[in-house]
Amino acid sequence: MTLATEQLQAVIFDLDGVITDTAEFHFLAWQQLATELGIKFTRHDNEQLKGVDRLGSLKLILQQGGLTLDNAALQHWSDWKNQRYLELLVDMQPHDVFPLVPELLTHLRAAGLLLGLASASRNAPLVLERLKLTQAFDFIADPALQAQGKPAPDIFLAVSTALAVPPACCIGVEDAPAGIRAVKAAGMIAVGIGTPAALSQADLVLPTTGMLTPLLLRQCFTALQR
Ligand code: B16
Ligand code: MG
């Protein structure tokens, strides 16, 4: 008896921490904000912000510092952090992409796969432009249009819908626990970039995005179909 199996058709990437190291810039900008507000904020604290949208991240930092702000102040500090982040992005160049990622994107496309971007960052189009990678993706989701941010699956489902590929035929690539949860909630296979300890819910974890290949992704997909 032959079992009908799904084929891998699309790979959906997160941006910050997967395509480039803007995760570090987000951390530095949040750290400046925390200092301004007199809140202690470490790299360890930053882990839980990865993949979380701007306002959600601000609220987590305030909660940690035991502060509450009204809506106007939340907007002010949210904009303040984004200004710091944009300053850090000023010198970003194509060579700031993680090693071997442009080659990976080219190879995936040559292997017949569709490529999507599911970043929680409203700055993602600007970052892709700076990296000269805008054209590498078939669809770039707008996080502002999603009802719920990661760990909800909305942005990954929006990409699969736009690409006309069922979620079961997609792999999502993420560096954040909230992102891995979003990929899994979307019904996709999740590849984590980082450490197995931090990304325990991922189906496969690699230290760097550049280690991925079309063959490895297809093997991972096939193995998890069984
Ligand atoms: P922005 P990703 C996320 O991007 C970052 O991980 C997270 O740290 C950041 O707060 C969020 O984007 C929003 O970014 O302030 O630029 O809109 O990892 O989903 O690509
Ligand atoms: Mg990320």
Side-chain angles (χ1 to χ4, degrees):
M1 186 179 73
T2 313
L3 289 176
T5 52
E6 307 276 17
Q7 294 290 316
L8 176 62
Q9 295 177 40
V11 184
I12 305 176
F13 289 88
D14 173 46
L15 176 71
D16 296 314
V18 168
I19 301 289
T20 184
D21 198 15
T22 35
E24 177 68 12
F25 293 161
H26 281 294
F27 165 65
L28 293 172
W30 284 128
Q31 199 178 43
Q32 287 182 46
L33 175 138
T35 302
E36 285 287 314
L37 294 175
I39 298 171
K40 186 168 163 285
F41 181 70
T42 64
R43 272 181 197 281
H44 177 74
D45 300 326
N46 185 60
E47 286 305 303
Q48 63 172 325
L49 305 189
K50 287 185 176 177
V52 178
D53 68 17
R54 203 178 304 161
L55 197 55
S57 299
L58 174 59
K59 287 178 177 170
L60 285 171
I61 293 173
L62 294 173
Q63 197 178 32
Q64 181 166 323
L67 288 183
T68 43
L69 298 178
D70 62 23
N71 284 342
L74 285 174
Q75 190 59 51
H76 167 80
W77 286 109
S78 174
D79 293 345
W80 191 94
K81 181 268 178 177
N82 199 46
Q83 278 310 314
R84 302 290 84 72
Y85 178 67
L86 291 173
E87 286 163 18
L88 292 166
L89 282 189
V90 157
D91 294 328
M92 181 166 247
Q93 302 283 334
H95 69 245
D96 290 317
V97 68
F98 281 141
L100 299 176
V101 167
E103 292 84 347
L104 169 67
L105 299 177
T106 302
H107 293 155
L108 291 173
R109 266 216 173 135
L113 295 166
L114 291 169
L115 303 183
L117 191 91
S119 170
S121 176
R122 292 169 192 233
N123 295 299
L126 171 69
V127 172
L128 287 182
E129 204 53 48
R130 293 263 161 85
L131 297 176
K132 300 234 178 301
L133 283 181
T134 307
Q135 305 306 324
F137 293 93
D138 298 291
F139 182 74
I140 297 164
D142 181 350
L145 299 180
Q146 313 309 320
Q148 295 187 83
K150 302 169 187 177
D154 303 28
I155 197 162
F156 284 94
L157 292 174
V159 178
S160 92
T161 300
L163 296 176
V165 174
C169 299
C170 298
I171 286 181
V173 185
E174 263 286 355
D175 70 317
I180 295 290
R181 281 165 60 203
V183 174
K184 298 302 289 180
M188 300 174 186
I189 288 169
V191 171
I193 303 300
T195 64
L199 304 172
S200 57
Q201 292 183 30
D203 297 300
L204 169 73
V205 180
L206 293 173
T208 68
T209 310
M211 292 171 79
L212 289 170
T213 63
L215 180 64
L216 183 60
L217 286 171
R218 284 207 196 278
Q219 284 175 338
C220 170
F221 186 86
T222 306
L224 290 161
Q225 289 300 298
R226 296 204 177 109

